[in-house]
Amino acid sequence: MAATQPFNDKTAYWDVPWEASYGYPQARKVGNEICISGQFNHDEDGNLVAPALLDSDGKPSDFSSMGEQMRCAYDNIAKLLALYGATLEDVVEETLYVLDMDAAFAVVGNVRKAAYGNERPQCASNIIGVSRLAQRAQLIEIVCKAVIGARND
């Protein structure tokens, strides 16, 4: 399933189970601003891409898939933005929530530059270490805000 706008052109969904159980859209447009809910390493069917290996307590034990998970999250953001005629170039602020700061810093520069297609992506960026994310095998989640037309400013 692809990202869709089943209720109106202001909100977007993946139609994955956690949207209904938590009760939220993946994106919401107000005026020329688009707020993107936390995106992570899932495909369009809700299956995790490059899930982290878990230890016996159900906690990630290997952070080597951080880059692949990050690329997937940026791909999901790009697909949602496209529903509104926007691109990653319209993103003005992002926050990355990561389980391991060292693993994130090892890949974030190259992954961000590739995703934005720019050596110096033109958006404010925050990176925050957290102890847990929604899916146990998830290492990163990215939230962002875009302004349609920002790429031309």
Side-chain angles (χ1 to χ4, degrees):
M1 72 197 73
T4 63
Q5 296 171 298
F7 302 112
N8 58 55
D9 62 354
K10 303 288 185 205
T11 57
Y13 297 84
W14 287 113
D15 197 27
V16 288
W18 52 88
E19 289 171 344
S21 63
Y22 189 79
Y24 73 103
Q26 298 294 330
R28 180 147 172 15
K29 179 178 177 270
V30 178
N32 65 341
E33 293 186 6
I34 305 164
C35 294
I36 304 288
S37 295
Q39 297 301 302
F40 57 96
N41 59 311
H42 65 81
D43 63 17
E44 291 183 356
D45 294 321
N47 302 306
L48 291 184
V49 174
L53 297 175
L54 303 178
D55 65 17
S56 60
D57 294 325
K59 294 180 181 178
S61 60
D62 178 5
F63 297 90
S64 63
S65 61
M66 178 74 75
E68 192 171 349
Q69 287 194 20
M70 195 178 293
R71 279 187 284 283
C72 185
Y74 278 117
D75 287 346
N76 287 343
I77 291 167
K79 290 172 186 175
L80 290 165
L81 290 169
L83 293 173
Y84 303 101
T87 71
L88 282 165
E89 291 179 87
D90 293 304
V91 173
V92 296
E93 184 177 19
E94 67 178 9
T95 300
L96 289 74
Y97 297 94
V98 300
L99 289 188
D100 185 276
M101 199 63 76
D102 292 331
F105 274 124
V107 298
V108 70
N110 289 333
V111 173
R112 284 185 77 247
K113 291 173 185 179
Y116 285 99
N118 189 322
E119 280 298 305
R120 289 194 159 199
Q122 297 298 297
C123 72
S125 184
N126 311 289
I127 187 165
I128 299 170
V130 296
S131 62
R132 166 94 199 270
L133 293 164
Q135 306 287 327
R136 290 200 177 269
Q138 178 186 350
L139 301 175
I140 183 167
E141 187 164 318
I142 304 173
V143 175
C144 66
K145 181 167 85 172
V147 177
I148 296 172
R151 64 188 135 187
N152 300 321
D153 284 345

